[in-house]
């Protein structure tokens, strides 16, 4: 291989990794609408009941840098919306839950409907607007007057 070919290969690898990095970064924090399994509080060892309208189920770890900000955001959203509850599950000592729910990064947030069915998934730190729009879509036909809240498991 000549030096010119080696430099060309180096630039091609650099360009490919840059494109892959930009694609990965653009996908962080985006809400992916899914129709998944039904999750109960017992499945994730939650000490509080899930919300009668929706549940924001956050998976985090002790060393996660973005988890505290996500906790504050989701807790704030839950407090402002009747029937919505925020539940945080620490995966540090529960790798079985990470495997069961395919959590590859923290924070990961699952948005559950009133029956506990996974309706959306967010990998990374979500935005208030995306969470709000997703909750609006999930709860558009639900009108409950309950006390919203937040919990940490």
């Amino acid at each position: 291989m000549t030096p010119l070919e080696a430099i060309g290969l180096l630039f091609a690898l650099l360009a490919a990794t840059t494109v892959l990095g930009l694609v990965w970064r653009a996908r962080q924090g985006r809400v992916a609408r899914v129709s998944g399994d039904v999750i109960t509080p017992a499945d994730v060892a939650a000490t509080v009941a899930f919300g009668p309208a929706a549940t924001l189920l956050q998976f985090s770890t002790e060393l996660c840098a973005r988890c505290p900000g996500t906790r504050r955001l989701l807790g704030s959203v839950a407090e402002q919306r009747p029937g919505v509850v925020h539940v945080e599950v620490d995966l540090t000592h529960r790798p079985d839950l990470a495997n069961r729910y395919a959590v590859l990064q923290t924070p990961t947030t699952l948005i559950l409907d009133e029956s506990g069915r996974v309706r959306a998934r967010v990998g990374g730190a979500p935005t208030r607007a995306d969470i709000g729009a997703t909750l609006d879509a999930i709860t558009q036909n639900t009108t409950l007057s309950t006390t919203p809240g937040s919990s940490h498991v």
Side-chain angles (χ1 to χ4, degrees):
M1 179 179 288
T2 66
L4 189 55
E5 289 173 334
I7 291 173
L9 180 61
L10 181 63
F11 279 120
L13 288 173
L14 181 61
T17 55
T18 300
V19 168
L20 288 174
L22 291 172
V23 168
W24 177 79
R25 186 176 182 189
R27 296 187 60 162
Q28 291 298 299
R30 295 258 174 116
V31 174
R33 305 231 177 185
V34 297
S35 180
D37 297 331
V38 173
I39 300 175
T40 66
D43 292 337
V44 293
T47 57
V48 296
F50 284 173
T55 302
L56 303 171
L57 181 59
Q58 176 188 348
F59 292 105
S60 59
T61 57
E62 291 175 358
L63 300 177
C64 172
R66 295 181 292 170
C67 291
T70 300
R71 178 184 316 117
R72 287 188 298 274
L73 171 70
L74 296 177
S76 171
V77 169
E79 288 174 3
Q80 295 172 355
R81 290 178 172 260
V84 176
V85 173
H86 169 236
V87 177
E88 183 177 6
V89 177
D90 188 342
L91 296 177
T92 303
H93 304 291
R94 296 295 310 267
D96 59 311
L97 293 177
N99 290 334
R100 182 174 180 182
Y101 299 109
V103 177
L104 300 176
Q105 66 177 340
T106 55
T108 291
T109 304
L110 301 180
I111 302 175
L112 314 176
D113 64 13
E114 71 279 355
S115 65
R117 181 169 304 283
V118 178
R119 299 286 299 273
R121 180 183 189 98
V122 183
T127 65
R128 182 178 295 275
D130 287 343
I131 294 296
T134 304
L135 286 172
D136 288 342
I138 291 172
T139 63
Q140 66 185 350
N141 295 327
T142 307
T143 56
L144 298 169
S145 58
T146 60
T147 305
S150 180
S151 172
H152 177 76
V153 176

